Amino acid sequence: MISTLFKFHGGVHPPEHKLESAATPIVEVPLPQRLVLPLRQHVGNVPKLQVAVGDHVLKGQLLAIADGMISASVHAPTSGTIVSIDEQLIPHASGLPDLCITLQADGEDRWVEHRALEYRDLPKAAVLEALRAGGVVGLGGATFPSHVKLREDAQHPVRTLILNGAECEPYITCDDRLMRERADQIVRGIEIMQYLLGAERCVVGIEDNKPEAAQAMRDACRLSSIPIEVATVPTLYPGGGAKQLIKVLTGLEVPSGKLPTEIGVQCFNVATAYTVHRFIHHGEPVISRVVTVTGKVARPGNFEVPLGMSIAELVQAAGGAAPESTGFVMGGPMMGFNLPSAEVPVVKATNCIIASAPDLFPPLPPAMPCIRCARCADACPVNLQPQELYWFAKSSNLEKARDYHLFDCIECGCCSYVCPSRIPLVQYYRYAKSEILAADKAKQAADLARERNEFRLARIEREKQERAAKHAQKAAGAKADVAGDEAKKAAIAAAMARAQAQKAEVVPQNTADLPPAVQEEIAGIDARREAVNEEKQEN
Amino acid sequence: MSQSPYISGSTSVSVIMLKVLLALVPGIVAYVWVFGGGVLVSLTLASITALVSEGVMLKLRNRPVRPFLMDGSALVTAWLLALALPPLAPWWLVVVGTLFAIVIAKQLYGGLGYNPFNPAMVGYAVLLISFPVIMTQWPAPLALAHAQLGFADQLHYIFSRGLPVDVQVDAITSATPLDYLKTQLKLQHALADISQAPVFGVVGAKGGELVTGAYLLGGLYLLQQRIVTWHIPVAFLAMLALVAGASSLLDPVHYAGAGFHLFSGASMLCAFFIATDPISGPTTPKGKLLFAAGIGLLTWLIRTYGGYPDGVAFAVLFMNICVPLIDAYTQPRVFGHKL
Ligand code: SF4
Ligand code: SF4
């Protein structure tokens, strides 16, 4: 079945560099001795610890349980002993440490008791609950807990289920290999997702630079119990961005600040579908993932890696980094980030590790002034005017930047990529976003303080009136009592009204109704910002 | 620690400017063919003046000199101005115009990226206002001139206004077709008769139309290389053709047709090289269309009713003023937003 494809504005064609790592099958890495598992490997609440230092745990055993709706559990990738629970560096752009469980493997790799779920015999809520406990999150990089997205919502029924196998970022090939080698298991996962959501249509979107993966998926889909389309979409970065892929496959645009369900669409990464299958049909929680290791390494390829393995060890599995390599990038070259250290662990979000070197990712020459050539605007998939945003960010005209839809920017990097003046545009947007959010926060705090002050003044006023009333009481006897009470009440009511009115005014403008993924991103930006500030102070 | 993206495309400001210069080469070759080698002198003079004044200004403004001289933008300004001036313009006219363009219109406004007006057109307009006689004195194409000047004679003429003893100024200059057309129309002559004059070629100016065609060729190269988008050339030429075509359709006796306007004066140079200056132009697609259509309309109006033979420079400068407004009102619809 060939369905019509649509286009999104802009996009770029960076060199793909996929062949290096896509040629060989996924290799299972040797079991590491030490695993470091950050509690928070997803968007949402930190899960609650279920183990203590010294505990012996089995492979697949629950280490931390999802806390609240938007949260995900963490499990032991192998059997062994918990040797510490403390703050360690994690692979995050902020470069900040976070609470981690360190597991010393016992080498036996012994599984905890686990079994498949007969999901069709259970109420859907129970299946979702199981997924939440299984630590299933989006593996495309967003790591949003999947059970939340798989919930049926009467107000926004999902008609179209989209599976994202576009993998548009250069260098990354983990989804490509997964689709080539485990297409049937991905399809089993899609069937579960379709069942949970009751979607009428299922489409797998794959960029046309992965013909083998598309063929494998097509073959697997043909054997499925439900109709699943496989659509090859033109290779165009960032065609794998959820909103862009949805647009290409359905022609619909997710309204700004809204979730895809608003337009009856839900989108998952193919690797997420795979983990859903592994969990439901085999009872295996998410304890490993496929990671592309490429760039300046001896044997680029894809590896099945237990979560918690250090990047340094993983790179060893790929033959080690070349001597000229100067660091590691997690993710792709367009949206990835420099790892603070090679000792950080592989987490659920780790899709790709690139050993970088100056000749691979050359440092930018000094930026020239913007020549208003609008190449950035032509390349922006969101149809923003990056050159205007840059101007506003640079001149700290933050309100204007917001007016020009700064918060719709997905930080895809297309604008920076094409800019002939080599202006690091995205960095300006990250900075501006964090500044605006910090200002919003400060304003909220100030308003709160002002509100408190109003109450204080009201109290003082009230006490004054009470004193006056007492005097009056003394003078006029019992009658004044009522009047004093009345004055007291009136003063309090007036103060409350003022406070209420003020509160109504200060609803934070842009951030309140953002989806959790964006709020998470904002938290990330905040952290980065603080890190930068610290850096500044150190210098 | 640097942030993503870690890779970037290969186009730089220098590459863009270099390609613009390259695209001007066919036009220059045709120019030399039609008017002789004098224009090469103007080009050289303008280039040297531009580079030296840009360098000095950068130094005075405490800016890094090397990267900004290497970006090639000063050369583009210099070449455009030199090509817009009469081919045998005296040397000082070229120098003064270039100085004005670079020092005042560009550097004093903040240098590359900050000039609200097209520097070459500022230089041109200042010269046109200050030295109207020289600026409208065009040498006749070689094929039409009563006396031929060799390259050495042209050089001599440019630097000292001296002519070989047997040649009069009238013998080497002629009114440009745009000029000629206007004066003749004022004299109540009918267009059909006027266009029989030898200054007219197949569609535009004799000889000039060849140069214009060569600019078009260079322009197509710029389009193919994606140095310019189609919006400005198409909107400008379409608007010019539309008003010229419509007016000549309504009153063929008094109005020249679309072909004449497209292939006369600086039309093609404007369409692909002048109006497309990104810095002083709008950035939104709709804005570009509006901007260029405005230039097309104004060019025709000034050519037809104004006091100057060609209207491109003033049309461009006037539309430059409107750019912030145009940009503000032509913001495209952002993904996921309603218009
Ligand atoms: S691409 Fe760069 S130089 Fe061109 S308009 Fe955008 S920011 Fe300015
Ligand atoms: S980073 Fe933002 S502004 Fe730049 S192209 Fe991507 S969405 Fe547009």
Side-chain angles (χ1 to χ4, degrees):
Chain A
M1 198 191 317
I2 309 264
S3 40
T4 346
L5 294 181
F6 300 83
K7 274 197 176 124
F8 62 91
H9 180 265
V12 294
H13 286 285
E16 292 177 13
H17 288 288
K18 295 202 183 237
L19 293 177
E20 295 93 316
S21 59
T24 48
I26 300 168
V27 174
E28 199 160 327
V29 296
L31 197 63
Q33 299 213 311
R34 259 172 93 85
L35 299 142
V36 177
L37 299 149
L39 284 187
R40 216 170 76 135
Q41 302 185 29
H42 54 266
V43 171
N45 299 338
V46 181
K48 278 194 283 211
L49 265 177
Q50 297 295 299
V51 289
V53 174
D55 286 0
H56 185 268
V57 295
L58 295 175
K59 180 175 185 173
Q61 185 175 330
L62 189 69
L63 301 182
I65 190 160
D67 183 17
M69 184 58 179
I70 301 179
S71 183
S73 304
V74 175
H75 303 77
T78 185
S79 55
T81 312
I82 310 293
V83 291
S84 68
I85 299 173
D86 54 4
E87 296 230 316
Q88 306 214 23
L89 270 188
I90 57 159
H92 191 271
S94 67
L96 296 174
D98 202 0
L99 199 60
C100 299
I101 303 170
T102 306
L103 176 66
Q104 186 76 36
D106 60 13
E108 290 177 21
D109 205 25
R110 202 146 52 85
W111 267 102
V112 73
E113 195 191 323
H114 59 292
R115 59 194 152 76
L117 272 184
E118 281 307 325
Y119 67 95
R120 282 177 192 272
D121 299 343
L122 291 169
K124 283 181 181 177
V127 181
L128 293 175
E129 186 50 38
L131 284 170
R132 175 166 163 267
V136 179
V137 302
L139 293 187
T143 62
F144 190 81
S146 299
H147 66 272
V148 183
K149 288 169 67 182
L150 285 167
R151 206 172 26 167
E152 264 180 313
D153 178 352
Q155 277 198 313
H156 300 296
V158 170
R159 287 183 300 277
T160 310
L161 170 63
I162 288 179
L163 275 298
N164 190 341
E167 204 165 50
C168 61
E169 269 246 26
Y171 289 90
I172 310 178
T173 58
C174 55
D175 291 345
D176 182 8
R177 285 307 321 186
L178 194 74
M179 287 188 284
R180 290 198 214 183
E181 296 174 35
R182 305 177 194 173
D184 51 338
Q185 304 193 59
I186 294 173
V187 169
R188 294 290 89 73
I190 300 175
E191 288 162 357
I192 300 166
M193 290 173 155
Q194 186 274 337
Y195 164 76
L196 289 173
L197 286 169
E200 296 152 22
R201 180 182 174 214
C202 296
V203 199
V204 187
I206 303 172
E207 282 196 342
D208 56 14
N209 58 358
K210 290 178 273 294
E212 297 92 342
Q215 194 50 49
M217 286 301 291
R218 243 178 232 123
D219 293 343
C221 288
R222 212 166 291 132
L223 301 176
S224 171
S225 55
I226 57 167
I228 305 173
E229 301 162 45
V230 175
T232 43
V233 301
T235 299
L236 177 65
Y237 178 84
K243 291 184 175 184
Q244 280 67 40
L245 186 63
I246 291 171
K247 168 97 195 228
V248 168
L249 293 177
T250 67
L252 301 172
E253 285 184 10
V254 180
S256 170
K258 293 283 178 0
L259 295 170
T261 45
E262 191 84 9
I263 51 167
V265 179
Q266 195 60 287
C267 183
F268 292 93
N269 187 268
V270 286
T272 312
Y274 171 77
T275 56
V276 166
H277 152 76
R278 292 304 302 181
F279 180 70
I280 298 289
H281 289 136
H282 298 274
E284 298 173 10
V286 183
I287 53 172
S288 72
R289 69 158 295 152
V290 180
V291 183
T292 303
V293 184
T294 184
K296 297 282 177 186
V297 293
R299 290 189 301 276
N302 282 283
F303 301 86
E304 175 92 45
V305 190
L307 300 176
M309 184 182 200
S310 83
I311 303 294
E313 261 182 289
L314 170 58
V315 170
Q316 279 313 312
E324 71 265 31
S325 167
T326 47
F328 298 100
V329 167
M330 180 168 130
M334 295 299 286
M335 292 182 80
F337 58 92
N338 259 313
L339 287 175
S341 146
E343 294 310 315
V344 296
V346 168
V347 292
K348 289 174 184 174
T350 312
N351 49 3
C352 180
I353 297 295
I354 308 174
S356 62
D359 64 324
L360 210 59
F361 302 150
L364 283 180
M368 299 285 284
C370 167
I371 56 167
R372 296 174 45 82
C373 65
R375 280 177 172 70
C376 49
D378 291 339
C380 177
V382 187
N383 211 3
L384 296 168
Q385 296 290 302
Q387 78 283 358
E388 305 277 7
L389 291 176
Y390 161 66
W391 186 250
F392 297 139
K394 202 176 157 193
S395 54
S396 287
N397 196 345
L398 299 177
E399 273 314 307
K400 264 306 220 196
R402 200 201 298 250
D403 289 349
Y404 274 67
H405 308 296
L406 174 65
F407 282 93
D408 285 283
C409 165
I410 57 171
E411 299 182 19
C412 65
C414 289
C415 50
S416 298
Y417 180 81
V418 297
C419 177
S421 289
R422 299 282 178 273
I423 304 169
L425 295 164
V426 189
Q427 296 190 27
Y428 281 93
Y429 309 149
R430 290 188 186 121
Y431 160 79
K433 284 183 189 176
S434 65
E435 284 300 305
I436 292 175
L437 295 173
D440 280 358
K441 257 193 200 160
K443 184 167 184 309
Q444 274 170 328
D447 286 331
L448 197 68
R450 191 160 351 116
E451 201 173 296
R452 286 210 190 102
N453 194 38
E454 294 272 339
F455 272 114
R456 197 177 66 90
L457 293 179
R459 198 192 66 225
I460 292 169
E461 175 76 3
R462 193 189 66 214
E463 284 168 359
K464 213 160 88 189
Q465 287 187 356
E466 274 172 359
R467 273 198 301 277
K470 264 186 202 144
H471 284 303
Q473 203 177 14
K474 269 184 196 155
K479 246 188 168 179
D481 207 78
V482 185
D485 245 18
E486 221 78 73
K488 195 157 121 185
K489 268 188 204 148
I492 293 172
M496 298 266 275
R498 272 200 298 279
Q500 284 282 305
Q502 231 158 31
K503 216 174 176 180
E505 267 170 35
V506 298
V507 173
Q509 298 94 317
N510 220 342
T511 52
D513 55 349
L514 288 180
V518 180
Q519 291 195 357
E520 162 72 5
E521 196 180 307
I522 289 165
I525 293 169
D526 265 357
R528 279 200 293 272
R529 188 169 159 279
E530 265 154 36
V532 170
N533 282 345
E534 271 163 36
E535 237 171 66
K536 267 190 206 148
Q537 274 161 14
E538 274 163 28
N539 292 338
Chain B
M1 197 167 79
S2 66
Q3 292 182 5
S4 59
Y6 296 108
I7 50 177
S8 47
S10 55
T11 309
S12 66
V13 178
S14 321
V15 167
I16 293 175
M17 298 296 170
L18 209 73
K19 285 187 174 169
V20 173
L21 293 178
L22 202 64
L24 282 170
V25 170
I28 294 172
V29 171
Y31 207 131
V32 172
W33 174 263
V34 174
F35 294 102
V39 68
L40 297 177
V41 180
S42 303
L43 282 167
T44 315
L45 273 176
S47 300
I48 295 171
T49 313
L51 289 176
V52 170
S53 58
E54 176 119 312
V56 169
M57 286 305 289
L58 287 167
K59 201 91 213 155
L60 288 178
R61 293 178 52 231
N62 261 327
R63 296 296 148 93
V65 175
R66 238 186 90 84
F68 282 107
L69 275 190
M70 295 300 287
D71 70 30
S73 60
L75 282 182
V76 170
T77 300
W79 285 27
L80 289 178
L81 180 63
L83 292 174
L85 295 179
L88 294 181
W91 66 272
W92 54 266
L93 193 79
V94 180
V95 171
V96 169
T98 312
L99 280 176
F100 228 96
I102 297 290
V103 176
I104 311 246
K106 184 176 178 188
Q107 288 294 334
L108 287 190
Y109 274 105
L112 179 73
Y114 292 92
N115 46 289
F117 296 104
N118 187 318
M121 289 304 101
V122 171
Y124 182 88
V126 166
L127 294 181
L128 188 56
I129 294 168
S130 317
F131 312 103
V133 179
I134 310 176
M135 284 295 285
T136 46
Q137 206 174 54
W138 273 64
L142 296 180
L144 286 180
H146 301 297
Q148 305 263 340
L149 290 186
F151 184 62
D153 292 334
Q154 288 200 342
L155 211 63
H156 188 54
Y157 185 69
I158 290 169
F159 282 100
S160 64
R161 292 276 109 178
L163 284 171
V165 277
D166 53 335
V167 178
Q168 301 294 308
V169 176
D170 291 350
I172 54 158
T173 59
S174 75
T176 66
L178 277 173
D179 222 358
Y180 185 75
L181 182 71
K182 191 179 279 174
T183 37
Q184 292 298 308
L185 283 173
K186 275 202 191 115
L187 297 173
Q188 305 290 326
H189 292 168
L191 186 72
D193 303 332
I194 301 170
S195 56
Q196 293 309 310
V199 292
F200 292 94
V202 185
V203 278
K206 182 123 194 175
E209 61 193 11
L210 190 70
V211 181
T212 315
Y215 287 145
L216 173 61
L217 204 69
L220 294 178
Y221 164 76
L222 289 184
L223 276 179
Q224 185 261 334
Q225 291 287 308
R226 295 166 185 249
I227 299 298
V228 299
T229 59
W230 60 270
H231 304 83
I232 287 179
V234 168
F236 170 77
L237 295 174
M239 186 52 133
L240 188 59
L242 189 78
V243 281
S247 57
S248 86
L249 211 65
L250 291 175
D251 185 358
V253 179
H254 291 108
Y255 292 98
F260 175 77
H261 273 282
L262 293 184
F263 282 88
S264 299
S267 298
M268 287 297 165
L269 198 61
C270 176
F272 293 98
F273 296 91
I274 298 171
T276 50
D277 169 43
I279 296 162
S280 55
T283 53
T284 64
K286 265 190 217 146
K288 288 178 181 173
L289 294 177
L290 263 176
F291 173 77
I295 296 176
L297 180 64
L298 285 173
T299 298
W300 181 83
L301 283 174
I302 299 173
R303 279 181 182 177
T304 312
Y305 305 109
Y308 294 102
D310 201 349
V312 162
F314 291 112
V316 168
L317 292 176
F318 180 78
M319 290 310 289
N320 282 162
I321 303 175
C322 309
V323 163
L325 209 65
I326 293 177
D327 269 343
Y329 284 97
T330 54
Q331 288 295 311
R333 186 184 68 85
V334 171
F335 188 101
H337 284 265
K338 299 204 173 65
L339 245 186

